Amino acid sequence: MEHIRIAVIGLGPAGLTALKTLREEGFDAVAFERRDKVGGLWSFSSNAAFTSTLDETTCNVSKFISGFSDYPVPKDSPPYPMAPQIAEYFNSYASHFNLQDHMRFNTTVRRVTRNTSDDGWDVHITNLDGDAVLPFDKVVFGHGCESAPVFPSIPNRDKFKGAVIHSQAYKSPEPFRNKKVLVVGIGNTACEVSLSLRKYAAKLYQSYRRGKIIVSRYYDDGTPMDVHFSWPIMRLKYFLDDKVPWLMTPVADKMMIRKMISDAARSEPASPKVSRNERLKRAERRVRKDWHLLPGPSMAHVHPTVQEDFFPALYEGDITPVRGFKDFVGDHQVLLDDGTIVEADAVIFCTGYDLDFSIMPELEMDGVGGLPLTKAGDEASSKTTDRDEIIEDREHKSKPHLPRLFQMIFPPRWASSIAFLSWMAPQENVWCVCELASMAVAQIWAAETAKTADQRQGSDGYRRPALLPSLDEMNAQVDAYHNWWRGEWEKDNSMRSGYVLGYPFYRFLHDAAGTGLYEKLDHMFTGRGWGLWWNDRELWTWLAKGPMNSYSWRLFETNPRGVPGCGRKTWPGARRALQEAYEICEEFKRQARAKHQ
């Protein structure tokens, strides 16, 4: 493997784990990062052209389900770490696995093209020394999906004399002190920006055209929401999503709406004498009528906004919800969808990003659903829109362009040498899913390399190598996904690009990576798990009832001979990490419930 050179683009969690897993498998991998440090958007940057979190940004997933498979999150981390703590964790991960010597910072990858001999890729870079073209056998794109900001159509932009920026350029509330600010959007970023401004702005408006499910990270008893969804529960959810979506979609929406209203009721500054039922009724009126947060897009199409401080800010009047942005109509006047005109000194558009695939001109796009097969190098097809936070433009009805990626990762035509880790939008912790995808990519390419070299890949009865299906089979899967996605998009244009179908997606990743988890434990209807329950009740408890972290991915030995492409390496500390995560989580839940009694 050491003679195979692989370029990894980006050093956020996707690129970081890709670099580590590929080198672990023996490949000669090197990573390129345009910033001066690892962490991607989790490492704060004052550069307005770089998307980054703020220092006060809080992670939306708890420490109990975070952490890479062989490097646990520090035990003393808060339940939901802040951005600087996450950035430090990524830096610590890079140091622990001695990855720094294989990183090239302050280096921008402009594009990746097929070389003239058609046996590799030319990576076009720009760094402090100028421009260069470097040859590689394979390329992993882990450059993130939040770099090209999107603005809505603004015909009369020149009429407005105030400040107009995208959330990408928002770094501090200080420039907006004592100003009237309109924040456009209702996703995670929009809510975070408004909460950052609430004690600085003279007047703060939150403008959104459609509602959105907004939930707290915690339940009423003080326990983190995400620790209640164990491995078997999520396997059952994905199974039912696949088999009876007509049932699961409204059930999931109803559950999250109920939690949203409960969270809003909990935040109301009401007298203790007010009954819980009355609180819930008042909260629902607020959510539906006063704040027009419902109805909104289905959970089957977008992820919810996760924020427990937003409802208190609405109750306290720090944030005033208004209708969607329509246009500028004066020096400091903004026209809203309902005809209202508000005065503003600044407008901050938290309206999402384009997923720009033109970095690889040869990448195939579309090809089904009434759209012709094109390439990302064609200007009209280079971008797909992340609609999670983007304003719907009523004048723009054209269908989004989608990349042709098998299992959200591999371009069928170039699957043996190209992998994308930035398009998938999983329902689970995205860092951990990126690591799992990296493990799958490493095993698939190791299996392909060994097969090409006629190396032995196990024998009868041994785990099969992680080889990809045929080109026709991969294209058929891509076509099926495109048709499904476009069908959902026709129902609701807020459909998130890259939204994964959990049932086949996670099975594919775990099988390719060789974790062995599905063989040991699955949802209740499969019957898998009884053997583990009988032979190792303790381990079964940690997996079936504990938080769904990634330490289990390196627990089971599936490739004892170390055959290339037949399974990732195990980690001797996996069992202990699982136990500690379970025990720490149980103790936290016990203390939280005691406080909320």
Side-chain angles (χ1 to χ4, degrees):
M1 304 296 168
E2 64 276 1
H3 65 282
I4 304 294
R5 300 191 69 230
I6 302 179
V8 177
I9 303 173
L11 275 169
L16 189 60
T17 54
L19 178 64
K20 187 262 187 181
T21 54
L22 289 165
R23 294 199 63 82
E24 182 179 61
E25 199 60 31
F27 291 107
D28 179 14
V30 61
F32 300 94
E33 170 58 54
R34 64 175 181 157
R35 309 178 195 226
D36 59 359
K37 51 193 170 184
V38 303
L41 61 81
W42 287 100
S43 293
F44 176 78
S45 173
S46 59
N47 188 330
F50 291 171
T51 306
S52 73
T53 54
L54 305 175
D55 283 344
E56 61 266 29
T57 299
T58 302
C59 184
N60 286 341
V61 292
S62 74
K63 70 174 182 179
F64 306 109
I65 67 166
S66 299
F68 297 130
S69 63
D70 49 3
Y71 195 69
V73 171
K75 296 177 186 178
D76 60 355
S77 294
Y80 288 91
M82 304 288 283
Q85 294 166 315
I86 295 168
E88 175 54 34
Y89 171 73
F90 291 152
N91 271 290
S92 178
Y93 178 87
S95 297
H96 179 77
F97 292 107
N98 300 312
L99 300 177
Q100 292 93 334
D101 290 344
H102 313 289
M103 299 174 173
R104 306 293 181 265
F105 293 107
N106 298 307
T107 301
T108 299
V109 176
R110 298 298 181 188
R111 65 185 185 280
V112 176
T113 57
R114 193 67 173 165
N115 64 17
T116 55
S117 56
D118 197 25
D119 61 358
W121 298 93
D122 287 335
V123 176
H124 302 250
I125 66 168
T126 298
N127 57 24
L128 299 177
D129 296 324
D131 297 336
V133 179
L134 307 177
F136 286 91
D137 301 297
K138 304 176 189 292
V139 180
V140 174
F141 293 85
H143 59 308
C145 58
E146 297 178 318
S147 58
V150 168
F151 287 87
S153 173
I154 311 175
N156 295 303
R157 168 65 183 88
D158 58 335
K159 289 185 178 181
F160 190 72
K161 304 306 180 185
V164 177
I165 68 169
H166 191 274
S167 57
Q168 182 185 59
Y170 180 85
K171 305 298 179 180
S172 165
E174 192 59 45
F176 304 94
R177 184 181 290 275
N178 299 324
K179 293 185 177 180
K180 299 174 185 176
V181 183
L182 180 76
V183 176
V184 182
I186 193 62
N188 284 310
T189 300
C191 290
E192 180 183 318
V193 168
S194 291
L195 290 170
S196 170
L197 287 164
R198 64 186 293 201
K199 299 304 181 184
Y200 289 79
K203 183 69 176 179
L204 182 58
Y205 299 100
Q206 193 87 29
S207 169
Y208 45 96
R209 183 164 292 158
R210 302 186 62 192
K212 186 73 181 290
I213 293 177
I214 302 177
V215 293
S216 167
R217 298 172 178 87
Y218 297 92
Y219 280 121
D220 288 344
D221 63 359
T223 60
M225 178 174 63
D226 54 23
V227 304
H228 294 274
F229 301 100
S230 66
W231 170 266
I233 288 175
M234 292 305 293
R235 297 321 103 185
L236 179 59
K237 177 192 181 300
Y238 299 143
F239 171 74
L240 295 176
D241 284 345
D242 184 71
K243 304 304 178 186
V244 286
W246 52 268
L247 172 64
M248 285 300 293
T249 296
V251 166
D253 288 345
K254 186 175 182 179
M255 288 177 60
M256 294 303 285
I257 289 172
R258 183 181 300 168
K259 184 181 187 312
M260 176 182 180
I261 293 171
S262 177
D263 292 341
R266 188 170 72 241
S267 301
E268 183 187 10
S271 167
K273 296 180 180 179
V274 178
S275 69
R276 174 168 171 76
N277 284 340
E278 180 59 27
R279 278 175 173 264
L280 290 171
K281 289 179 183 178
R282 283 159 37 169
E284 184 164 8
R285 284 196 297 270
R286 289 274 198 171
V287 166
R288 292 186 182 277
K289 295 183 178 179
D290 297 349
W291 301 333
H292 53 272
L293 289 169
L294 291 174
S298 169
M299 288 282 292
H301 298 144
V302 298
H303 298 154
T305 294
V306 182
Q307 185 55 257
E308 55 271 346
D309 297 323
F310 192 69
F311 287 134
L314 292 178
Y315 277 118
E316 293 167 19
D318 291 340
I319 299 173
T320 301
V322 296
R323 295 293 180 174
F325 171 90
K326 189 171 184 179
D327 203 354
F328 294 117
V329 291
D331 289 357
H332 292 278
Q333 289 78 43
V334 179
L335 176 66
L336 304 178
D337 269 342
D338 61 356
T340 302
I341 295 176
V342 297
E343 294 282 331
D345 301 307
V347 178
I348 303 174
F349 287 98
C350 304
T351 45
Y353 298 84
D354 266 337
L355 311 182
D356 192 351
F357 290 97
S358 62
I359 189 173
M360 182 188 166
E362 278 99 338
L363 178 65
E364 293 181 332
M365 308 284 292
D366 302 325
V368 294
L371 293 177
L373 180 66
T374 59
K375 292 184 178 180
D378 301 336
E379 183 178 355
S381 301
S382 65
K383 297 178 180 179
T384 70
T385 301
D386 178 355
R387 299 235 167 212
D388 188 32
E389 294 184 337
I390 289 179
I391 299 174
E392 299 159 25
D393 185 341
R394 293 170 179 171
E395 302 299 321
H396 185 70
K397 301 284 187 181
S398 63
K399 296 180 179 180
H401 297 286
L402 301 179
R404 296 190 61 79
L405 296 176
F406 174 69
Q407 295 294 358
M408 327 302 292
I409 300 172
F410 300 100
R413 184 179 176 187
W414 311 110
S416 64
S417 60
I418 294 289
F420 281 85
L421 300 179
S422 298
W423 189 49
M424 65 185 83
Q427 297 94 329
E428 299 177 10
N429 183 344
V430 67
W431 317 332
C432 296
V433 175
C434 283
E435 186 198 13
L436 181 62
S438 297
M439 294 161 67
V441 169
Q443 292 305 308
I444 287 168
W445 284 353
E448 187 264 347
T449 302
K451 181 181 178 182
T452 302
D454 291 326
Q455 293 180 10
R456 186 179 180 184
Q457 291 186 279
S459 56
D460 291 343
Y462 199 75
R463 188 178 188 88
R464 292 176 300 174
L467 294 170
L468 290 170
S470 68
L471 177 62
D472 287 344
E473 290 174 298
M474 286 191 283
N475 274 318
Q477 189 273 339
V478 172
D479 289 347
Y481 175 80
H482 279 215
N483 283 323
W484 169 78
W485 191 93
R486 294 194 183 285
E488 296 300 307
W489 182 83
E490 291 292 343
K491 298 175 189 175
D492 185 349
N493 290 173
S494 64
M495 179 67 175
R496 186 183 177 100
S497 177
Y499 204 89
V500 304
L501 288 166
Y503 184 66
F505 177 72
Y506 293 113
R507 286 177 176 270
F508 167 79
L509 291 186
H510 279 278
D511 184 59
T515 67
L517 260 177
Y518 275 96
E519 290 89 332
K520 297 290 185 179
L521 186 65
D522 204 340
H523 61 77
M524 64 178 72
F525 297 130
T526 65
R528 285 191 290 274
W530 286 110
L532 185 63
W533 178 85
W534 181 262
N535 295 312
D536 194 337
R537 191 74 54 85
E538 195 174 49
L539 179 57
W540 179 89
T541 300
W542 303 336
L543 291 173
K545 296 182 177 295
M548 192 180 64
N549 52 55
S550 59
Y551 312 133
S552 57
W553 300 349
R554 292 187 183 267
L555 178 64
F556 301 111
E557 180 58 86
T558 59
N559 185 15
R561 301 178 197 165
V563 178
C566 290
R568 83 292 175 259
K569 289 179 172 60
T570 56
W571 175 44
R575 186 182 179 100
R576 179 63 180 169
L578 272 170
Q579 178 184 357
E580 290 181 346
Y582 176 82
E583 292 173 349
I584 293 172
C585 183
E586 288 299 301
E587 178 60 19
F588 182 87
K589 290 193 292 184
R590 186 191 67 77
Q591 293 182 10
R593 286 165 176 156
K595 290 179 182 177
H596 287 76
Q597 285 182 347

